[in-house]
Amino acid sequence: MFSPLRIILAVAILLNVAAAFPLIGRDVQWSFTLFQSASCNGTIGDPHAGSGSTGCRADLHSVASAYALNTVAEGCRIEFFDNTMCDQSELSDVAGQITPNETCRIAGSRRRFGSYQVSCE
């Protein structure tokens, strides 16, 4: 059986290969990894990736304290919510294009990420 660390490493390698060869990963418009720790580290991360807009996604393995963006295509934005229903009144964070120094984004002292939705033009 594969350990969670090996799965995460395999995903990271595939994302790097897709970036090096754009025709391979052309369908992935956004990807990020959720973490239980506020420092975006640890052996268990919860990777999410897709193409185009989504509805509300609450299929998280656990409620997260932080996230790291891997890819966000121009025209896409990811909204993270403090609840599991994408309730706009509990919007925690909005992510768009990645900046060069972007590494780990924290939910805040009393908030956690319980759901997300992606919208792409």
Side-chain angles (χ1 to χ4, degrees):
M1 195 83 208
F2 293 105
S3 72
L5 181 58
R6 285 187 182 200
I7 293 170
I8 291 169
L9 289 173
V11 168
I13 290 169
L14 287 174
L15 288 172
N16 285 333
V17 168
F21 301 97
L23 294 176
I24 294 172
R26 191 164 61 181
D27 292 341
V28 175
Q29 288 184 299
W30 53 268
S31 68
F32 60 90
T33 305
L34 294 170
F35 293 92
Q36 290 181 340
S37 73
S39 57
C40 291
N41 63 13
T43 57
I44 300 177
D46 185 11
H48 295 264
S51 178
S53 300
T54 68
C56 181
R57 299 283 170 98
D59 56 341
L60 312 180
H61 295 305
S62 63
V63 177
S65 295
Y67 68 89
L69 294 175
N70 302 315
T71 304
V72 182
E74 186 174 336
C76 291
R77 69 185 236 151
I78 306 168
E79 297 174 314
F80 295 94
F81 299 89
D82 191 34
N83 55 52
T84 57
M85 301 166 292
C86 298
D87 182 353
Q88 289 292 329
S89 68
E90 294 191 37
L91 180 67
S92 288
D93 199 13
V94 177
Q97 295 262 205
I98 300 172
T99 61
N101 354 344
E102 189 137 29
T103 55
C104 181
R105 294 182 77 167
I106 302 168
S109 62
R110 299 173 116 198
R111 295 188 166 255
R112 302 230 181 242
F113 302 123
S115 60
Y116 71 92
Q117 67 184 12
V118 180
S119 51
C120 296
E121 297 175 351

